[in-house]
Amino acid sequence: MHTLPLLLHSVSYSGSWGQTALTVEQVANKAAAFCFDGVMLMAKRPHLSPLDWDAARRRQLRDHLAAAGLRHNVLAGYTNFTADLEHAEIPQREMQIYYVEALAQLGADLGAPAVRIFTGYEHPAASFSAQWRMIADALGECAHRAGRLGVTLLLQNHHDVAAGWESFRDLLAEVNHPSLKAGFDAWAPALHGDDLAAAATALAPWMAHTTVADYVRRPRHRYEPALVNYVPATPYVQAVPFGEGFIDYRAFFSAAVEGGYNGGVAYEMCSPLLGGGAEDNLDRYARAFVAWMRAR
């Protein structure tokens, strides 16, 4: 595993959960200082929205990444192809396809020829099969447009549709485009209670990237006075330093690498951390991830 390129996701220092907020350039400097191989750049404000980065700024950032020795860089797009289905007159899919194409151009300009995207959250305004078809069609068009720019799309198993690894594999096979690869994440199948080694073995031929973080489950209960007792509620999931949580990353990486995976591993701090969001705690988590990966 120590040979896999390691990336620091800039969302970790975006302020999105009240944590320390840094600029894209400052995140890149941290990544270099902590011995990452690259960065995963959050492709929305406050970091890398295509609305804000003209040709001159793109050249400057590309030069900054190169000077920092960060060679393995990708963009993190934020899509939901089932959004706003209750208003069919609004061309939401077209807007998101346009956004993905804009990110592909941004990635090409930065020398970061890969863009992470999502599927869609299930929406009550359409059947599951209709939403599946809509997503598959949108992914196919996005992949075609990105491919013309020499950019690969990395589909992450995050949103509701195709969150399960079997259906995720089905969706990739259905779209079947060379510019659409799996950015397969161990987090979802771990929460689903799946066998991570089996999932990684099945997805390894499709994988070009993975995004990781580690968590513990914390029980929740609600007091029921009539029973003088507590009723179990859905546990919450708390981010902890890498290697200290319930996700079996040893099994996941071993199976993926054995299956031929040699893509990047992006570390993200994308929820409140145990210990808080101060910069020194964020830095501690980032360093711990690199140390854990390099030691394996």
Side-chain angles (χ1 to χ4, degrees):
M1 285 186 290
H2 68 283
T3 61
L4 298 178
L6 305 184
L7 292 76
L8 178 60
H9 197 329
S10 74
V11 72
S12 307
Y13 293 87
S14 66
S16 300
W17 296 272
Q19 79 273 41
T20 296
L22 302 179
T23 66
V24 168
E25 293 87 353
Q26 288 172 323
V27 175
N29 294 342
K30 278 197 183 289
F34 297 163
C35 298
F36 282 86
D37 302 298
V39 285
M40 187 173 188
L41 298 164
M42 183 180 78
K44 61 180 180 178
R45 291 172 177 169
H47 278 178
L48 201 65
S49 170
L51 295 171
D52 304 323
W53 290 76
D54 61 17
R57 290 193 73 192
R58 295 179 190 201
R59 287 193 299 271
Q60 290 169 357
L61 181 56
R62 182 170 183 156
D63 291 345
H64 189 96
L65 296 174
L70 301 171
R71 310 292 181 189
H72 196 102
N73 307 306
V74 304
L75 271 59
Y78 294 82
T79 55
N80 176 18
F81 291 111
T82 54
D84 200 30
L85 280 175
E86 68 272 30
H87 298 111
E89 75 279 10
I90 306 301
Q92 285 286 348
R93 262 58 62 198
E94 295 171 42
M95 294 179 190
Q96 295 194 53
I97 291 167
Y98 189 77
Y99 166 65
V100 173
E101 186 174 43
L103 295 188
Q105 183 63 66
L106 178 56
D109 293 345
L110 293 175
V115 176
R116 189 282 315 275
I117 57 174
F118 299 131
T119 59
Y121 293 110
E122 282 196 51
H123 198 293
S127 68
F128 179 82
S129 61
Q131 293 177 71
W132 180 282
R133 178 77 271 132
M134 179 185 303
I135 290 168
D137 289 346
L139 290 174
E141 183 171 353
C142 286
H144 173 70
R145 291 174 178 274
R148 293 188 305 188
L149 296 167
V151 172
T152 298
L153 300 182
L154 307 168
L155 185 64
Q156 186 173 351
N157 51 320
H158 182 280
H159 291 0
D160 299 340
V161 178
W165 69 261
E166 296 98 336
S167 58
F168 184 69
R169 182 182 56 181
D170 292 344
L171 181 60
L172 290 164
E174 182 172 328
V175 178
N176 191 30
H177 195 286
S179 294
L180 181 68
K181 302 294 184 182
F184 189 56
D185 183 343
W187 171 75
L191 283 174
H192 299 163
D194 295 332
D195 182 327
L196 285 185
T201 296
L203 268 299
W206 300 91
M207 285 176 65
H209 177 85
T210 187
T211 303
V212 302
D214 212 352
Y215 305 88
V216 292
R217 293 187 182 92
R218 297 300 194 213
R220 294 173 57 246
H221 300 84
R222 293 190 179 92
Y223 185 60
E224 186 70 38
L227 303 176
V228 196
N229 203 346
Y230 288 89
V231 176
T234 302
Y236 75 91
V237 174
Q238 172 67 62
V240 295
F242 200 80
E244 297 182 12
F246 70 88
I247 301 178
D248 189 354
Y249 279 110
R250 288 183 178 84
F252 178 79
F253 282 121
S254 294
V257 170
E258 186 174 339
Y261 180 63
N262 61 0
V265 182
Y267 180 60
E268 64 178 2
M269 293 172 272
C270 60
S271 62
L273 305 181
L274 191 66
E279 187 170 354
D280 59 349
N281 197 47
L282 298 174
D283 292 351
R284 181 173 69 89
Y285 274 60
R287 288 192 179 101
F289 165 73
V290 173
W292 193 94
M293 291 295 295
R294 299 297 188 205
R296 299 303 182 275

